[in-house]
mmCIF file of all heavy atoms in Angstrom:
data_model
loop_
_atom_site.group_PDB
_atom_site.id
_atom_site.type_symbol
_atom_site.label_atom_id
_atom_site.label_comp_id
_atom_site.label_asym_id
_atom_site.label_seq_id
_atom_site.Cartn_x
_atom_site.Cartn_y
_atom_site.Cartn_z
ATOM 1 N N GLU L 115 18.806 -10.485 -18.266
ATOM 2 C CA GLU L 115 17.945 -9.326 -18.012
ATOM 3 C C GLU L 115 16.575 -9.499 -18.668
ATOM 4 O O GLU L 115 15.538 -9.218 -18.053
ATOM 5 C CB GLU L 115 18.624 -8.054 -18.518
ATOM 6 C CG GLU L 115 19.875 -7.697 -17.741
ATOM 7 C CD GLU L 115 20.790 -6.717 -18.445
ATOM 8 O OE1 GLU L 115 20.574 -6.407 -19.635
ATOM 9 O OE2 GLU L 115 21.754 -6.256 -17.797
ATOM 10 N N GLU L 116 16.582 -9.990 -19.907
ATOM 11 C CA GLU L 116 15.323 -10.203 -20.625
ATOM 12 C C GLU L 116 14.438 -11.219 -19.895
ATOM 13 O O GLU L 116 13.238 -11.017 -19.739
ATOM 14 C CB GLU L 116 15.611 -10.676 -22.046
ATOM 15 C CG GLU L 116 14.387 -10.766 -22.913
ATOM 16 C CD GLU L 116 14.712 -11.188 -24.336
ATOM 17 O OE1 GLU L 116 15.898 -11.166 -24.747
ATOM 18 O OE2 GLU L 116 13.762 -11.552 -25.039
ATOM 19 N N TYR L 117 15.027 -12.309 -19.432
ATOM 20 C CA TYR L 117 14.258 -13.328 -18.700
ATOM 21 C C TYR L 117 13.756 -12.810 -17.349
ATOM 22 O O TYR L 117 12.659 -13.139 -16.936
ATOM 23 C CB TYR L 117 15.083 -14.594 -18.490
ATOM 24 C CG TYR L 117 15.181 -15.478 -19.711
ATOM 25 C CD1 TYR L 117 16.390 -16.008 -20.102
ATOM 26 C CD2 TYR L 117 14.058 -15.781 -20.477
ATOM 27 C CE1 TYR L 117 16.491 -16.827 -21.215
ATOM 28 C CE2 TYR L 117 14.146 -16.590 -21.593
ATOM 29 C CZ TYR L 117 15.362 -17.122 -21.953
ATOM 30 O OH TYR L 117 15.449 -17.924 -23.048
ATOM 31 N N ILE L 118 14.561 -12.032 -16.672
ATOM 32 C CA ILE L 118 14.123 -11.453 -15.388
ATOM 33 C C ILE L 118 12.846 -10.648 -15.612
ATOM 34 O O ILE L 118 11.873 -10.785 -14.865
ATOM 35 C CB ILE L 118 15.230 -10.563 -14.772
ATOM 36 C CG1 ILE L 118 16.398 -11.409 -14.278
ATOM 37 C CG2 ILE L 118 14.660 -9.713 -13.631
ATOM 38 C CD1 ILE L 118 17.635 -10.596 -13.893
ATOM 39 N N ILE L 119 12.866 -9.806 -16.633
ATOM 40 C CA ILE L 119 11.719 -8.937 -16.922
ATOM 41 C C ILE L 119 10.509 -9.755 -17.365
ATOM 42 O O ILE L 119 9.399 -9.594 -16.840
ATOM 43 C CB ILE L 119 12.092 -7.898 -18.002
ATOM 44 C CG1 ILE L 119 13.231 -6.995 -17.514
ATOM 45 C CG2 ILE L 119 10.876 -7.067 -18.399
ATOM 46 C CD1 ILE L 119 13.923 -6.216 -18.615
ATOM 47 N N ALA L 120 10.700 -10.640 -18.305
ATOM 48 C CA ALA L 120 9.588 -11.387 -18.906
ATOM 49 C C ALA L 120 8.898 -12.332 -17.922
ATOM 50 O O ALA L 120 7.697 -12.549 -18.021
ATOM 51 C CB ALA L 120 10.081 -12.169 -20.120
ATOM 52 N N ARG L 121 9.641 -12.855 -16.953
ATOM 53 C CA ARG L 121 9.087 -13.903 -16.090
ATOM 54 C C ARG L 121 8.833 -13.479 -14.651
ATOM 55 O O ARG L 121 8.585 -14.316 -13.795
ATOM 56 C CB ARG L 121 10.016 -15.106 -16.116
ATOM 57 C CG ARG L 121 10.105 -15.701 -17.512
ATOM 58 C CD ARG L 121 10.935 -16.922 -17.517
ATOM 59 N NE ARG L 121 10.927 -17.539 -18.839
ATOM 60 C CZ ARG L 121 11.237 -18.799 -19.051
ATOM 61 N NH1 ARG L 121 11.568 -19.566 -18.037
ATOM 62 N NH2 ARG L 121 11.216 -19.293 -20.269
ATOM 63 N N HIS L 122 8.867 -12.201 -14.381
ATOM 64 C CA HIS L 122 8.719 -11.750 -12.990
ATOM 65 C C HIS L 122 7.317 -11.948 -12.430
ATOM 66 O O HIS L 122 7.125 -11.872 -11.219
ATOM 67 C CB HIS L 122 9.147 -10.278 -12.844
ATOM 68 C CG HIS L 122 8.120 -9.293 -13.292
ATOM 69 N ND1 HIS L 122 7.978 -8.893 -14.602
ATOM 70 C CD2 HIS L 122 7.164 -8.624 -12.596
ATOM 71 C CE1 HIS L 122 7.001 -8.031 -14.701
ATOM 72 N NE2 HIS L 122 6.471 -7.842 -13.496
ATOM 73 N N MET L 123 6.332 -12.210 -13.262
ATOM 74 C CA MET L 123 4.953 -12.335 -12.779
ATOM 75 C C MET L 123 4.540 -13.772 -12.444
ATOM 76 O O MET L 123 3.374 -14.033 -12.180
ATOM 77 C CB MET L 123 3.977 -11.743 -13.800
ATOM 78 C CG MET L 123 3.920 -10.228 -13.749
ATOM 79 S SD MET L 123 3.505 -9.557 -12.119
ATOM 80 C CE MET L 123 1.811 -10.071 -11.947
ATOM 81 N N PHE L 124 5.473 -14.696 -12.412
ATOM 82 C CA PHE L 124 5.152 -16.052 -11.977
ATOM 83 C C PHE L 124 4.568 -15.968 -10.557
ATOM 84 O O PHE L 124 5.059 -15.201 -9.757
ATOM 85 C CB PHE L 124 6.429 -16.913 -11.986
ATOM 86 C CG PHE L 124 6.194 -18.328 -11.593
ATOM 87 C CD1 PHE L 124 5.666 -19.215 -12.503
ATOM 88 C CD2 PHE L 124 6.478 -18.762 -10.309
ATOM 89 C CE1 PHE L 124 5.424 -20.530 -12.140
ATOM 90 C CE2 PHE L 124 6.237 -20.062 -9.940
ATOM 91 C CZ PHE L 124 5.703 -20.955 -10.863
ATOM 92 N N PRO L 125 3.499 -16.641 -10.235
ATOM 93 C CA PRO L 125 2.830 -17.740 -10.926
ATOM 94 C C PRO L 125 1.687 -17.319 -11.849
ATOM 95 O O PRO L 125 1.007 -18.183 -12.393
ATOM 96 C CB PRO L 125 2.294 -18.592 -9.787
ATOM 97 C CG PRO L 125 1.967 -17.611 -8.712
ATOM 98 C CD PRO L 125 3.004 -16.512 -8.847
ATOM 99 N N LEU L 126 1.452 -16.017 -12.048
ATOM 100 C CA LEU L 126 0.412 -15.622 -13.006
ATOM 101 C C LEU L 126 0.801 -16.008 -14.426
ATOM 102 O O LEU L 126 -0.068 -16.229 -15.265
ATOM 103 C CB LEU L 126 0.141 -14.117 -12.943
ATOM 104 C CG LEU L 126 -0.633 -13.613 -11.730
ATOM 105 C CD1 LEU L 126 -0.861 -12.114 -11.838
ATOM 106 C CD2 LEU L 126 -1.937 -14.344 -11.554
ATOM 107 N N THR L 127 2.091 -16.040 -14.695
ATOM 108 C CA THR L 127 2.555 -16.530 -15.986
ATOM 109 C C THR L 127 2.972 -17.979 -15.803
ATOM 110 O O THR L 127 3.370 -18.390 -14.713
ATOM 111 C CB THR L 127 3.747 -15.700 -16.497
ATOM 112 O OG1 THR L 127 4.769 -15.700 -15.503
ATOM 113 C CG2 THR L 127 3.337 -14.274 -16.800
ATOM 114 N N VAL L 128 2.878 -18.749 -16.846
ATOM 115 C CA VAL L 128 3.130 -20.184 -16.761
ATOM 116 C C VAL L 128 4.602 -20.485 -16.494
ATOM 117 O O VAL L 128 4.925 -21.370 -15.706
ATOM 118 C CB VAL L 128 2.675 -20.883 -18.068
ATOM 119 C CG1 VAL L 128 2.971 -22.364 -18.019
ATOM 120 C CG2 VAL L 128 1.203 -20.639 -18.307
ATOM 121 N N LEU L 129 5.496 -19.739 -17.125
ATOM 122 C CA LEU L 129 6.916 -20.033 -17.029
ATOM 123 C C LEU L 129 7.539 -19.337 -15.818
ATOM 124 O O LEU L 129 7.437 -18.122 -15.671
ATOM 125 C CB LEU L 129 7.635 -19.597 -18.300
ATOM 126 C CG LEU L 129 7.168 -20.309 -19.575
ATOM 127 C CD1 LEU L 129 7.813 -19.671 -20.805
ATOM 128 C CD2 LEU L 129 7.486 -21.790 -19.517
ATOM 129 N N PRO L 130 8.206 -20.113 -14.948
ATOM 130 C CA PRO L 130 8.858 -19.506 -13.771
ATOM 131 C C PRO L 130 10.179 -18.837 -14.156
ATOM 132 O O PRO L 130 10.706 -19.075 -15.247
ATOM 133 C CB PRO L 130 9.111 -20.711 -12.864
ATOM 134 C CG PRO L 130 9.263 -21.859 -13.800
ATOM 135 C CD PRO L 130 8.340 -21.559 -14.971
ATOM 136 N N PRO L 131 10.719 -18.014 -13.258
ATOM 137 C CA PRO L 131 12.041 -17.432 -13.514
ATOM 138 C C PRO L 131 13.074 -18.533 -13.757
ATOM 139 O O PRO L 131 12.954 -19.628 -13.213
ATOM 140 C CB PRO L 131 12.345 -16.668 -12.224
ATOM 141 C CG PRO L 131 11.000 -16.366 -11.651
ATOM 142 C CD PRO L 131 10.153 -17.552 -11.997
ATOM 143 N N LYS L 132 14.084 -18.224 -14.556
ATOM 144 C CA LYS L 132 15.116 -19.199 -14.920
ATOM 145 C C LYS L 132 16.381 -19.081 -14.064
ATOM 146 O O LYS L 132 17.265 -19.902 -14.204
ATOM 147 C CB LYS L 132 15.538 -18.978 -16.369
ATOM 148 C CG LYS L 132 14.646 -19.572 -17.393
ATOM 149 C CD LYS L 132 15.295 -19.408 -18.757
ATOM 150 C CE LYS L 132 14.877 -20.533 -19.651
ATOM 151 N NZ LYS L 132 15.604 -20.552 -20.903
ATOM 152 N N SER L 133 16.464 -18.047 -13.250
ATOM 153 C CA SER L 133 17.721 -17.770 -12.556
ATOM 154 C C SER L 133 17.452 -17.320 -11.126
ATOM 155 O O SER L 133 16.341 -16.936 -10.775
ATOM 156 C CB SER L 133 18.468 -16.647 -13.288
ATOM 157 O OG SER L 133 17.676 -15.467 -13.237
ATOM 158 N N LYS L 134 18.506 -17.338 -10.317
ATOM 159 C CA LYS L 134 18.369 -16.827 -8.938
ATOM 160 C C LYS L 134 18.020 -15.347 -8.957
ATOM 161 O O LYS L 134 17.206 -14.890 -8.177
ATOM 162 C CB LYS L 134 19.626 -17.042 -8.090
ATOM 163 C CG LYS L 134 20.774 -17.641 -8.749
ATOM 164 C CD LYS L 134 21.982 -17.743 -7.884
ATOM 165 C CE LYS L 134 23.142 -17.267 -8.648
ATOM 166 N NZ LYS L 134 23.865 -18.183 -9.449
ATOM 167 N N GLU L 135 18.604 -14.605 -9.900
ATOM 168 C CA GLU L 135 18.294 -13.184 -10.025
ATOM 169 C C GLU L 135 16.816 -12.988 -10.375
ATOM 170 O O GLU L 135 16.153 -12.106 -9.833
ATOM 171 C CB GLU L 135 19.173 -12.532 -11.101
ATOM 172 C CG GLU L 135 20.646 -12.491 -10.764
ATOM 173 C CD GLU L 135 21.415 -13.754 -11.149
ATOM 174 O OE1 GLU L 135 20.790 -14.738 -11.607
ATOM 175 O OE2 GLU L 135 22.646 -13.762 -10.994
ATOM 176 N N GLY L 136 16.311 -13.824 -11.266
ATOM 177 C CA GLY L 136 14.908 -13.755 -11.647
ATOM 178 C C GLY L 136 13.987 -14.047 -10.473
ATOM 179 O O GLY L 136 12.961 -13.385 -10.289
ATOM 180 N N TRP L 137 14.353 -15.030 -9.658
ATOM 181 C CA TRP L 137 13.546 -15.351 -8.476
ATOM 182 C C TRP L 137 13.577 -14.213 -7.466
ATOM 183 O O TRP L 137 12.568 -13.902 -6.833
ATOM 184 C CB TRP L 137 14.017 -16.655 -7.828
ATOM 185 C CG TRP L 137 13.472 -17.850 -8.529
ATOM 186 C CD1 TRP L 137 14.141 -18.701 -9.358
ATOM 187 C CD2 TRP L 137 12.113 -18.324 -8.481
ATOM 188 N NE1 TRP L 137 13.287 -19.662 -9.827
ATOM 189 C CE2 TRP L 137 12.040 -19.462 -9.308
ATOM 190 C CE3 TRP L 137 10.961 -17.892 -7.832
ATOM 191 C CZ2 TRP L 137 10.852 -20.175 -9.488
ATOM 192 C CZ3 TRP L 137 9.792 -18.605 -8.013
ATOM 193 C CH2 TRP L 137 9.738 -19.719 -8.832
ATOM 194 N N MET L 138 14.736 -13.580 -7.316
ATOM 195 C CA MET L 138 14.839 -12.456 -6.372
ATOM 196 C C MET L 138 13.935 -11.303 -6.795
ATOM 197 O O MET L 138 13.232 -10.724 -5.962
ATOM 198 C CB MET L 138 16.285 -11.980 -6.257
ATOM 199 C CG MET L 138 17.153 -12.925 -5.486
ATOM 200 S SD MET L 138 18.853 -12.330 -5.461
ATOM 201 C CE MET L 138 19.715 -13.856 -5.153
ATOM 202 N N VAL L 139 13.940 -10.976 -8.091
ATOM 203 C CA VAL L 139 13.082 -9.890 -8.584
ATOM 204 C C VAL L 139 11.617 -10.290 -8.456
ATOM 205 O O VAL L 139 10.784 -9.483 -8.034
ATOM 206 C CB VAL L 139 13.443 -9.505 -10.037
ATOM 207 C CG1 VAL L 139 12.416 -8.547 -10.629
ATOM 208 C CG2 VAL L 139 14.834 -8.873 -10.084
ATOM 209 N N CYS L 140 11.292 -11.523 -8.768
ATOM 210 C CA CYS L 140 9.921 -12.010 -8.657
ATOM 211 C C CYS L 140 9.422 -11.880 -7.209
ATOM 212 O O CYS L 140 8.333 -11.347 -6.969
ATOM 213 C CB CYS L 140 9.863 -13.468 -9.118
ATOM 214 S SG CYS L 140 8.222 -14.199 -9.130
#
Side-chain angles (χ1 to χ4, degrees):
E115 293 163 351
E116 187 178 346
Y117 282 134
I118 290 169
I119 298 164
R121 297 184 176 200
H122 79 275
M123 282 304 292
F124 182 79
L126 286 182
T127 55
V128 178
L129 298 172
K132 279 187 150 188
S133 63
K134 3 177 226 272
E135 294 86 355
W137 279 106
M138 287 177 203
V139 171
C140 183

